[in-house]
Amino acid sequence: MQLPPARLLAGAILAALAGTAAAQQAEPLAPVVVTATRTAQSPYDIPAAIDSVRTPPDGTLDVNLSERLQSIPGVTARDRQNYAQDTQISIRGFGARSTFGIRGIRLYTDGIPATMPDGQGQVTHFNLDSAERVEVLRGPFSALYGNASGGVIQLFTADGTEPPELRFGIAGGSNGVFRSSVNARGVEGPVDYNVDLSHFRTSGYRDHSAARRESGNAKLGWKIDDDRKLTLVLNAVDIPGAQDPLGLTKAQFHADPRQVATVAETYNTRKSADQQQAGLIYDQRIDNRNSLRVMGYYGQRTVTQYLSIPVATQTAQRGNSGGVVDLGNAYGGGDARWTWRDDVLGRPFEFAAGVAYDNQHQHREGYNNFVGATLGVRGDKRRDEIDRVFDFDQYAQATWRVAQDWTLMGGLRHSDVHFTSDDRYIAPGNPDDSGSEAYSATTPVFGVLWRAAPWAHVYANWGRGFETPTFSEIGYRADGGAGLAFDLRPSKSENMEVGLKLQPTDRINAGVAVFRADSDNELAVATNVGGRTTYQNIARSRRQGIEASFDGELANALHLVASYTHLQASFRTPFLTCVAAGCAAPDTPVAAGTRIPGVPRAMGYAALKYGAETGVQAGIDMNAMGATTANDLGTATAPGYALFGLSGGYVFDNGPWRINTFARVDNVADRHVIGSVIVNDGNGRYFEPAPGRTFLVGVDVRWR
């Protein structure tokens, strides 16, 4: 099903703007202050595309980041129904190439990086139950965050509340889904706290897709005095033995979308991960003009994953790294930033400058996934290496309101990223793969905002960005030789954006943005051999499109959220690639103009909610996705779809107790659709089905 054209959504938004007279007397929306551009301002006054989501959609589990991001234009966030792999997230087409983890965009939680220095990130430790908001920055200003910043997603844990609160939540539904949580937040003298424990489990929509996740998050703030504050952030997550159902071919999907690839059960494909992380943030107001912020963090993460690489492949290839991946990661770093605020030539001016350092130390081991005739177990060692990567960045940015109706904003960041690999497994047929490489780039950005009217702001911006290959992408050379693929070059992009932000009343926000990003040396697949994927640089690629959004009250207690994105992402130069497993050298031409896989042509979201702070709650929503290609040739495509959901509930507020009961039905029409794609899968199993009709019921209790 094709999405409606952009003009239909634009017409609906304009009609909503014209028909909201009844909302004029309603209470104003809570002011939103954002920090994604390192300035504490309303997004309405920033010359960039930025959104802040403060509450989850009605009646959702709220355990996957995709639930919070679906209403934001330009963001593709897919719940894969596969907890052995991370949520698929891309922003304006950046990051779409990733088959696991998140690449091409920067991730942060409470200012602490969730993206490693090489550009590989993950969000499994994001604790949404204790979060106040999620901010998403799109477009050129993302480059102020350095390597692999095609966009920026930041989660912020809520501060402690006064009076203190205890929160309890429980929800369950189809496919054995169950979520429970307990949260305590409050203020005791100079200390505020927010502590949360969450449990989630599912038996899975598909066979062989059961998973369990335990997570905890704590944020403790100490107000030393009126000018100084110290914040400690602790979080941990444990995912033991999440089953991996792998993807399906198109024929398998049509035959039975709940099935799994046979090899998934044969080799018992699964992944276990656990992570512990701590961060310390010091904020000081030096005087009325100057302030200082210093952040340091350290964490450890281990991952063990059992793959479905056939025994014959592992035994035939002497240099094969096996079918079991064992990773041990230690990482840490810091950021120090000074901010100065004053008037320049009688106009408000803000300047910030800082340095950032991040370091990752990874012990990567590989083993056979068999012992004799027993499959899906750890066998002989096939790989052992120490991988290190660190970055050292310097950045500065300034915001100047040069006139009553004009604001200028600009910045510059210099990044140095260093890779080193020490091979500790050297044997006949498996030579020394040690090596090192360094990349650097300087990325400028500039923007201007014009307050054309109190209800209309126009902005434009421009910038350059860059993205290094990750360790996953330099792990093997395309020519099969010894050493890592340090011949890969970083991708560099030039980004432009023009937008219009509308705020006709204090209860309505709307906007439109037009953007283009031209990239050199785009990373794409070169070969797939024996479970190894190698990469190559493509000379030029382009991402361009338009976004539109609306968020506001149509009438008393009637709230509409809508967004639409049309996105064209394509390779601009021809190249050769592999199309089948076992391909040892690129041999199939990809024509210029071919779509970049993993990027939908269009996507849209709309949700209409009825309900005040208490009493009856009801809602209807639609989530639509355009057709998405799954391989570089564009010959495998997941059709577009539109899915509808219904929600309802009742909120009781009686003295210290607030009880929110809710129920939800997703995919009301029970359609069988492909929810996500595995880009360039070497076995042609590109497609991950989305669930049919599902039900959810739950209750959240708050005691003050």
Side-chain angles (χ1 to χ4, degrees):
M1 177 178 179
Q2 294 295 325
L3 290 175
R7 60 178 178 272
L8 293 183
L9 182 67
I13 291 175
L14 291 174
L17 290 174
T20 54
Q24 300 280 348
Q25 303 303 318
E27 293 184 8
L29 292 167
V32 178
V33 176
V34 301
T35 58
T37 53
R38 301 192 183 93
T39 64
Q41 299 183 56
S42 163
Y44 189 54
D45 289 315
I46 293 176
I50 182 169
D51 287 272
S52 180
V53 181
R54 301 180 74 84
T55 57
D58 292 329
T60 61
L61 275 172
D62 202 29
V63 297
N64 297 308
L65 188 60
S66 56
E67 298 173 86
R68 294 281 185 112
L69 300 180
Q70 57 189 332
S71 65
I72 299 178
V75 178
T76 306
R78 304 182 193 246
D79 175 9
R80 307 175 65 172
Q81 295 294 305
N82 181 353
Y83 291 91
Q85 306 293 345
D86 217 331
T87 302
Q88 275 188 343
I89 303 177
S90 63
I91 296 180
R92 294 181 176 177
F94 286 99
R97 76 177 187 278
S98 180
T99 57
F100 61 90
I102 299 171
R103 305 176 201 174
I105 58 179
R106 300 291 297 182
L107 306 165
Y108 294 84
T109 173
D110 291 310
I112 299 169
T115 298
M116 295 296 102
D118 67 341
Q120 181 88 30
Q122 53 82 35
V123 294
T124 51
H125 67 297
F126 275 31
N127 187 291
L128 299 176
D129 192 55
S130 60
E132 177 194 34
R133 69 189 188 278
V134 178
E135 294 180 3
V136 180
L137 173 65
R138 311 182 299 284
F141 273 95
S142 304
L144 289 175
Y145 286 84
N147 179 29
S149 52
V152 180
I153 298 175
Q154 300 205 56
L155 178 140
F156 293 91
T157 303
D159 292 332
T161 59
E162 182 63 50
E165 294 181 351
L166 285 177
R167 303 185 179 195
F168 307 90
I170 187 170
S174 303
N175 305 317
V177 165
F178 178 79
R179 179 265 291 171
S180 61
S181 61
V182 57
N183 179 274
R185 58 184 72 178
V187 178
E188 295 292 339
V191 176
D192 70 271
Y193 59 89
N194 183 341
V195 181
D196 187 271
L197 295 174
S198 300
H199 164 79
F200 167 74
R201 69 172 183 264
T202 177
S203 57
Y205 166 67
R206 298 171 59 195
D207 297 334
H208 196 74
S209 61
R212 177 167 61 89
R213 183 168 72 198
E214 317 288 347
S215 66
N217 193 76
K219 179 181 176 181
L220 309 173
W222 175 32
K223 188 176 181 181
I224 303 172
D225 53 36
D226 289 342
D227 295 324
R228 295 178 295 165
K229 184 175 183 180
L230 196 63
T231 303
L232 176 65
V233 180
L234 305 170
N235 59 59
V237 65
D238 181 32
I239 306 174
Q243 295 177 326
D244 188 350
L246 305 178
L248 300 178
T249 66
K250 186 69 72 71
Q252 289 172 327
F253 166 74
H254 286 303
D256 179 9
R258 304 191 73 152
Q259 69 173 301
V260 301
T262 303
V263 292
E265 296 180 315
T266 300
Y267 289 93
N268 190 17
T269 51
R270 62 201 186 273
K271 184 173 84 171
S272 297
D274 69 90
Q275 176 177 309
Q276 304 83 38
Q277 179 177 284
L280 193 62
I281 304 166
Y282 175 74
D283 290 288
Q284 179 177 356
R285 187 178 71 92
I286 300 172
D287 54 34
N288 290 334
R289 297 184 181 90
N290 297 276
S291 60
L292 178 67
R293 180 179 178 87
V294 180
M295 181 275 295
Y297 70 98
Y298 178 79
Q300 293 182 329
R301 180 178 175 87
T302 61
V303 175
T304 304
Q305 186 168 13
Y306 287 77
L307 307 174
S308 60
I309 299 174
V311 171
T313 299
Q314 298 173 70
T315 55
Q317 297 177 354
R318 304 195 62 164
N320 192 283
S321 58
V324 180
V325 178
D326 191 340
L327 299 177
N329 287 283
Y331 60 91
D335 185 285
R337 181 169 75 247
W338 163 70
T339 302
W340 176 68
R341 299 178 181 89
D342 204 346
D343 287 348
V344 172
L345 300 179
R347 307 302 305 178
F349 184 88
E350 180 177 312
F351 176 80
V355 294
Y357 172 80
D358 304 285
N359 180 75
Q360 179 187 15
H361 181 283
Q362 181 181 91
H363 188 189
R364 178 184 291 268
E365 297 176 287
Y367 299 85
N368 288 334
N369 59 3
F370 64 92
V371 176
T374 304
L375 306 179
V377 296
R378 182 179 300 213
D380 293 336
K381 178 176 285 191
R382 302 296 300 273
R383 186 176 187 176
D384 188 354
E385 67 192 45
I386 300 295
D387 295 331
R388 300 181 180 90
V389 57
F390 73 87
D391 62 37
F392 179 61
D393 290 18
Q394 311 86 46
Y395 61 88
Q397 66 184 74
T399 304
W400 190 19
R401 189 160 180 170
V402 294
Q404 183 62 32
D405 297 331
W406 293 88
T407 294
L408 303 180
M409 188 173 181
L412 190 71
R413 186 174 184 120
H414 178 77
S415 301
D416 289 292
V417 186
H418 295 256
F419 290 80
T420 302
S421 182
D422 179 15
D423 191 354
R424 297 185 173 185
Y425 185 82
I426 303 170
N430 187 30
D432 190 350
D433 292 320
S434 301
S436 62
E437 185 61 272
Y439 306 98
S440 65
T442 300
T443 52
V445 295
F446 178 78
V448 57
L449 179 101
W450 173 42
R451 296 169 181 82
W455 52 271
H457 290 181
V458 181
Y459 71 92
N461 54 48
W462 169 91
R464 298 185 186 275
F466 89 111
E467 179 181 359
T468 69
T470 68
F471 256 123
S472 298
E473 289 154 339
I474 63 176
Y476 304 104
R477 288 173 45 170
D479 62 5
L484 302 184
F486 288 125
D487 58 321
L488 291 176
R489 290 169 290 175
S491 174
K492 296 186 177 182
S493 60
E494 183 170 359
N495 308 283
M496 296 164 282
E497 178 184 43
V498 177
L500 171 65
K501 300 183 180 185
L502 302 173
Q503 202 171 75
T505 77
D506 53 10
R507 298 291 291 171
I508 297 172
N509 291 289
V512 178
V514 179
F515 58 89
R516 172 180 287 185
D518 290 315
S519 299
D520 297 331
N521 296 320
E522 177 91 18
L523 285 170
V525 168
T527 66
N528 278 298
V529 180
R532 292 181 173 183
T533 300
T534 68
Y535 293 84
Q536 61 182 320
N537 290 114
I538 308 305
R540 294 191 304 276
S541 61
R542 174 174 291 172
R543 297 165 174 86
Q544 61 184 5
I546 184 171
E547 302 169 349
S549 62
F550 175 88
D551 185 351
E553 300 289 339
L554 303 182
N556 188 30
L558 189 63
H559 191 173
L560 173 66
V561 176
S563 64
Y564 177 83
T565 304
H566 182 78
L567 179 57
Q568 296 176 335
S570 61
F571 299 111
R572 306 296 292 175
T573 52
F575 62 97
L576 297 177
T577 189
C578 287
V579 297
C583 172
D587 57 5
T588 304
V590 177
T594 302
R595 292 169 56 192
I596 295 175
V599 182
R601 288 188 184 274
M603 53 190 173
Y605 175 83
L608 185 65
K609 174 188 175 182
Y610 171 80
E613 289 294 319
T614 60
V616 175
Q617 312 286 310
I620 180 171
D621 57 74
M622 179 202 70
N623 197 329
M625 194 73 64
T628 305
T629 59
N631 60 352
D632 286 341
L633 286 176
T635 56
T637 302
Y641 60 83
L643 303 180
F644 292 85
L646 297 173
S647 61
Y650 196 94
V651 177
F652 303 87
D653 199 335
N654 184 13
W657 295 94
R658 187 179 189 274
I659 304 173
N660 177 21
T661 61
F662 59 87
R664 181 173 178 84
V665 183
D666 278 304
N667 193 359
V668 174
D670 196 25
R671 298 190 58 202
H672 293 304
V673 302
I674 295 170
S676 62
V677 298
I678 304 172
V679 173
N680 288 313
D681 182 82
N683 296 291
R685 296 191 294 261
Y686 303 112
F687 307 110
E688 294 180 302
R693 184 187 300 118
T694 58
F695 302 88
L696 181 74
V697 295
V699 58
D700 291 320
V701 179
R702 184 185 306 175
W703 178 75
R704 304 178 184 89

